Coordinates of all heavy atoms in Angstrom, one line a residue:
R1 N 95.6 83.3 67.3 CA 96.9 83.9 67.1 C 97.0 85.3 67.7 O 97.9 85.7 68.4 CB 97.4 83.8 65.7 CG 98.8 84.3 65.5 CD 99.2 84.1 64.1 NE 100.5 84.7 63.9 CZ 100.8 85.6 62.9 NH1 99.9 86.0 62.1 NH2 102.0 86.1 62.8
L2 N 96.0 86.1 67.3 CA 96.0 87.5 67.7 C 95.7 87.6 69.3 O 96.3 88.4 70.0 CB 94.9 88.3 67.0 CG 94.8 89.8 67.3 CD1 96.1 90.5 66.9 CD2 93.7 90.4 66.5
E3 N 94.9 86.7 69.7 CA 94.6 86.6 71.2 C 95.9 86.3 72.0 O 96.2 86.9 73.0 CB 93.5 85.6 71.5 CG 93.0 85.6 72.9 CD 91.9 84.6 73.1 OE1 91.3 84.1 72.1 OE2 91.7 84.2 74.3
A4 N 96.6 85.3 71.5 CA 97.9 84.9 72.1 C 98.9 86.0 72.0 O 99.6 86.3 73.0 CB 98.4 83.6 71.5
E5 N 98.9 86.7 70.9 CA 99.9 87.8 70.8 C 99.6 88.9 71.8 O 100.5 89.5 72.3 CB 99.8 88.4 69.3 CG 100.9 89.4 69.0 CD 100.8 89.8 67.5 OE1 100.6 88.9 66.6 OE2 100.8 91.0 67.3
G6 N 98.3 89.2 72.0 CA 97.9 90.2 72.9 C 98.3 89.8 74.3 O 98.8 90.7 75.1
K7 N 98.1 88.6 74.7 CA 98.5 88.1 76.0 C 100.0 88.2 76.2 O 100.5 88.6 77.3 CB 98.0 86.7 76.2 CG 96.5 86.6 76.4 CD 96.1 85.1 76.6 CE 94.6 85.0 76.8 NZ 94.2 83.6 77.0
A8 N 100.7 87.9 75.2 CA 102.2 88.0 75.2 C 102.6 89.4 75.4 O 103.6 89.7 76.2 CB 102.8 87.4 74.0
D9 N 102.0 90.4 74.7 CA 102.3 91.8 74.9 C 102.1 92.2 76.3 O 102.9 93.0 76.8 CB 101.5 92.6 73.9 CG 101.9 92.5 72.5 OD1 103.0 91.9 72.2 OD2 101.1 93.0 71.6
Q10 N 101.0 91.8 76.9 CA 100.7 92.1 78.3 C 101.8 91.6 79.2 O 102.3 92.3 80.1 CB 99.4 91.6 78.7 CG 98.2 92.3 78.0 CD 96.9 91.7 78.3 OE1 96.5 91.7 79.4 NE2 96.3 91.1 77.3
V11 N 102.2 90.4 79.0 CA 103.2 89.7 79.9 C 104.5 90.5 79.7 O 105.2 90.8 80.7 CB 103.4 88.2 79.6 CG1 104.6 87.6 80.2 CG2 102.1 87.5 79.9
K12 N 104.9 90.8 78.5 CA 106.1 91.6 78.2 C 106.1 92.9 79.0 O 107.1 93.3 79.6 CB 106.3 91.7 76.7 CG 107.7 92.2 76.3 CD 107.9 92.0 74.8 CE 107.6 93.3 74.1 NZ 107.9 93.3 72.7
A13 N 105.0 93.6 78.9 CA 104.9 94.9 79.5 C 105.0 94.8 81.1 O 105.7 95.6 81.7 CB 103.6 95.6 79.1
D14 N 104.3 93.8 81.6 CA 104.4 93.5 83.0 C 105.8 93.2 83.5 O 106.3 93.6 84.5 CB 103.5 92.4 83.5 CG 102.0 92.8 83.4 OD1 101.7 94.0 83.3 OD2 101.1 91.9 83.3
A15 N 106.5 92.4 82.7 CA 107.9 92.1 83.0 C 108.8 93.3 83.0 O 109.7 93.4 83.9 CB 108.4 91.0 82.0
K16 N 108.6 94.2 82.0 CA 109.4 95.4 82.0 C 109.1 96.3 83.2 O 110.1 96.8 83.8 CB 109.1 96.2 80.7 CG 109.7 95.6 79.4 CD 109.3 96.5 78.2 CE 109.7 96.0 76.9 NZ 109.3 96.8 75.8
K17 N 107.9 96.3 83.6 CA 107.5 97.1 84.7 C 108.2 96.6 86.0 O 108.7 97.3 86.8 CB 106.0 97.2 84.9 CG 105.5 98.1 86.0 CD 104.0 98.2 86.0 CE 103.5 99.2 87.0 NZ 102.1 99.3 87.0
A18 N 108.1 95.3 86.1 CA 108.8 94.6 87.3 C 110.3 94.9 87.3 O 110.8 95.2 88.4 CB 108.5 93.1 87.3
A19 N 110.9 94.8 86.2 CA 112.3 95.0 86.1 C 112.7 96.4 86.4 O 113.7 96.7 87.1 CB 112.8 94.7 84.7
D20 N 111.8 97.4 86.0 CA 112.1 98.8 86.3 C 112.0 99.0 87.8 O 112.7 99.8 88.4 CB 111.1 99.7 85.6 CG 111.4 99.8 84.1 OD1 112.5 99.5 83.7 OD2 110.5 100.2 83.4
K21 N 111.0 98.3 88.5 CA 110.8 98.5 89.9 C 112.0 97.9 90.7 O 112.5 98.5 91.7 CB 109.5 97.8 90.4 CG 108.3 98.5 90.1 CD 107.1 97.8 90.6 CE 105.8 98.6 90.4 NZ 104.6 98.0 91.0
V22 N 112.6 96.8 90.2 CA 113.7 96.2 90.9 C 114.9 97.1 90.7 O 115.7 97.4 91.6 CB 114.1 94.8 90.3 CG1 115.4 94.3 90.7 CG2 113.0 93.8 90.7
K23 N 115.1 97.7 89.5 CA 116.2 98.6 89.2 C 116.1 99.8 90.1 O 117.1 100.3 90.7 CB 116.2 99.0 87.8 CG 117.3 100.0 87.4 CD 117.1 100.4 85.9 CE 118.1 101.5 85.7 NZ 117.9 102.2 84.4
D24 N 114.9 100.4 90.3 CA 114.6 101.5 91.1 C 115.0 101.2 92.6 O 115.5 102.0 93.3 CB 113.2 102.0 91.0 CG 112.9 102.7 89.7 OD1 113.9 103.1 89.0 OD2 111.7 102.9 89.4
A25 N 114.6 100.0 93.0 CA 114.9 99.6 94.4 C 116.4 99.5 94.7 O 116.9 100.0 95.7 CB 114.3 98.2 94.7
F26 N 117.2 99.0 93.7 CA 118.6 99.0 93.9 C 119.2 100.4 93.8 O 120.1 100.7 94.6 CB 119.3 98.1 92.8 CG 119.2 96.7 93.1 CD1 118.4 95.8 92.5 CD2 120.1 96.2 94.1 CE1 118.3 94.4 92.8 CE2 120.1 94.8 94.4 CZ 119.2 93.9 93.8
D27 N 118.7 101.2 93.0 CA 119.1 102.6 92.9 C 118.9 103.3 94.2 O 119.7 104.1 94.7 CB 118.5 103.4 91.7 CG 119.0 102.9 90.4 OD1 120.0 102.3 90.3 OD2 118.3 103.3 89.4
D28 N 117.7 103.1 94.8 CA 117.4 103.8 96.0 C 118.2 103.2 97.2 O 118.6 104.0 98.1 CB 115.9 103.6 96.4 CG 115.0 104.4 95.5 OD1 115.4 105.3 94.8 OD2 113.8 104.0 95.4
A29 N 118.5 102.0 97.2 CA 119.4 101.4 98.2 C 120.8 101.9 98.2 O 121.5 101.9 99.2 CB 119.3 99.8 98.1
G30 N 121.2 102.2 97.0 CA 122.6 102.7 96.8 C 122.8 104.2 97.2 O 123.9 104.6 97.3
K31 N 121.7 104.9 97.5 CA 121.9 106.3 97.9 C 122.2 106.5 99.3 O 121.9 105.8 100.2 CB 120.6 107.0 97.5 CG 120.4 107.1 96.0 CD 119.1 107.9 95.7 CE 118.9 108.0 94.2 NZ 117.7 108.6 93.9

């Protein structure tokens, strides 16, 4: 259970990072 929770935390962090990169790309394109 702890191992799976750790993997889930990593996936969640990676997803947030990817979303931030997409947001930055749109912000840069709008300038």
